[in-house]
Amino acid sequence: MADALLELRNISKSFPGVQALDDVSFSVCPGEVHALLGENGAGKSTLIKIMSGAYPSDKGEIWWKGQRIVYNDPLHALELGIGAIYQEFNLVPQLNVAQNILLGQFPTTRWGSVDNAELHRQASDALKQFDFHLDTRLLVSQLNIAQQQIVEIAKALIRDLRILIMDEPTAALNNVEIAHLFEVIRKLKARGVAIVYISHRLREIFEIADTITVLKDGKLVGTKALSEVTEDSLITMMVGRTLADRYPPKDTVQSEIILKVEHLSLDGALNDVSLQVRKGEILGVAGLEGQGQRDLVRAITGAVRTTSGAITVDGERQAIHSPHDAIRSGIAYIPDDRKNEGLVLMRSVRENIALPSLFARLRSLFMVDEPNEQRFVRQLVDRLGIKASSPMQVTRNLSGGNQQKVVVAKWLGTNPKVMVVAEPTRGIDVGSKSEIHHLMRELARQGVGILMVSSELPEILGMSDRIVVMSRGQIVAEMSGAEATEEAIMSAATRGISSTVSQSVFASASSG
Ligand SMILES: Nc1ncnc2c1ncn2[C@@H]1O[C@H](COP(=O)(O)OP(=O)(O)OP(=O)(O)O)[C@@H](O)[C@H]1O
Ligand SMILES: [Mg+2]
């Protein structure tokens, strides 16, 4: 293309045991939003790391404004105006927000020391310019994932970029923040900045992209204008087949209560929350982000101590003061912050998957049944399509989505009575997403009670037998999965307790 800003030609890249990219060409023009799509492990992150100079390629050429270039160091691309926000954040937890945003370019005083007042002024200007609100004095270690994402974005925006590359920037953002990010993208686009955008959420692609490129198993499937594709044709390009039923059919719920939560309170975060999950039931917990959903699941699974309340599993009152207590009570937990809470990154796929099941077995037998463990791990790896060169591969080297699948697999294998899952398919590709949904439904059919927190409304609607909506640490509405609509959930979530919607659904829930 004549007016391409950046052009990658015939790029190949391999890691030990895997050809991550095989002869891939890709280009991006000024003012274009170019989405990069494909299944987990397809090679998307690897390709953008080559674009941004983080990795060298084994073969192929990079052209910048019509001239061949070779990056001589990781900062070279940034100097040209190519900035990237990676899937795994690149922030320094011990530094504050301002220091992270201006990392490497701190303003100095006449005497050569860091000018702190100026540092905070520049950082808050950058945040304000794009309408982000965040105290620049907070340490990054104090921020939640969404706030960290905002710091990453601001950090990229204060540099005068020609190309901004974003690897799943919305994975941790709520709907309001996503809408906000899209405003930022439109502003940049209007200034002629090119955007390379990776996401597994097709809705976003149709909202923001001009062009799409699909990778599969490290190979280029094709590049098309957005107007040339439909959701179905995109899925076919990515997965190689169509997906008939994206959500499994719902089933009858048994009458027996498996999880009972009564009057749970947690200082400032949860206020007298009571709920029940029946055997075979999937209870969806919806709401705007940060309304106590995370505290609720952490309280049930022993990750935080509650100030009051009671938890009963299968008729027995449980004292859950630690994650260990939760496992012993038959509660499995798939956390949303999988990097920190869910995985031992330096250990193999096999060890991670077998870990929680090992606990149970070690307790009873004091020995590990090797062939059985291998079979067990292999089944889960196959079922979820975990892409690893071998079960012995260190999880740190898996693609982002494949790491997530390992966390999900590890808990699906524990035969729990209750599963508490937070954002079960965040960062997971469309095909595997459907596979995880089917597995969850299968577990429910076997009698497991599932409590699922999700910020994706289609997932809440597609999966839940019953839905509760949280607002400001309380449950403000309850509705049956069959009756619920996105509008009803949203209006309950935003209007809170006084909502007439919530009252009418409370009434219909108790009469049905
Ligand atoms: N540092 C590394 N060492 C070894 N293998 C790697 C490394 N980085 C990536 N890989 C492998 O290269 C392949 C492509 O990974 P990549 O991260 O590019 O996938 P992706 O398309 O970004 O997937 P996702 O949607 O899950 O983020 C995967 O098989 C992955 O395991
Ligand atoms: Mg990736």
Side-chain angles (χ1 to χ4, degrees), residues 15-16 18-21 38-47 49 55 87 167-168 198 200 215 387-389 393 396-403 427-429:
F15 294 108
V18 47
Q19 183 78 35
L21 292 172
E39 292 178 302
N40 298 130
K44 304 177 297 293
S45 295
T46 306
L47 189 66
K49 283 178 182 165
Y55 287 163
Q87 205 168 3
D167 197 348
E168 296 188 40
I198 299 180
H200 290 291
L215 298 179
K387 226 185 135 194
S389 50
Q393 187 175 358
R396 174 193 284 283
N397 289 340
L398 295 185
S399 77
N402 280 303
Q403 290 183 0
I428 286 177
D429 65 57

Side-chain angles (χ1 to χ4, degrees), residues 367-495:
M367 59 186 281
V368 185
D369 181 351
E370 281 266 343
N372 214 351
E373 178 182 310
Q374 281 184 30
R375 199 171 332 119
F376 165 81
V377 170
R378 175 129 326 131
Q379 271 174 4
L380 284 164
V381 166
D382 286 351
R383 185 80 206 259
L384 293 184
I386 295 175
K387 226 185 135 194
S389 50
S390 94
M392 298 320 289
Q393 187 175 358
V394 173
T395 38
R396 174 193 284 283
N397 289 340
L398 295 185
S399 77
N402 280 303
Q403 290 183 0
Q404 317 248 21
K405 290 185 193 174
V406 171
V407 184
V408 176
K410 136 179 177 181
W411 291 111
L412 290 177
T414 58
N415 288 327
K417 290 179 178 166
V418 173
M419 280 234 317
V420 176
V421 300
E423 311 293 347
T425 59
R426 173 183 282 171
I428 286 177
D429 65 57
V430 276
S432 312
K433 194 167 175 171
S434 164
E435 195 62 36
I436 287 173
H437 287 148
H438 280 82
L439 272 167
M440 282 171 61
R441 183 50 75 184
E442 232 168 72
L443 282 174
R445 210 165 282 143
Q446 291 162 16
V448 177
I450 300 182
L451 184 137
M452 175 186 77
V453 172
S454 172
S455 53
E456 266 190 73
L457 285 179
E459 180 167 63
I460 289 275
L461 291 169
M463 290 301 292
S464 311
D465 298 303
R466 196 157 49 87
I467 296 163
V468 292
V469 182
M470 288 189 76
S471 173
R472 278 173 262 125
Q474 290 182 311
I475 290 179
V476 293
E478 177 177 334
M479 46 192 100
S480 85
E483 301 171 330
T485 60
E486 290 203 11
E487 292 71 33
I489 294 174
M490 279 316 286
S491 84
T494 48
R495 275 191 288 169

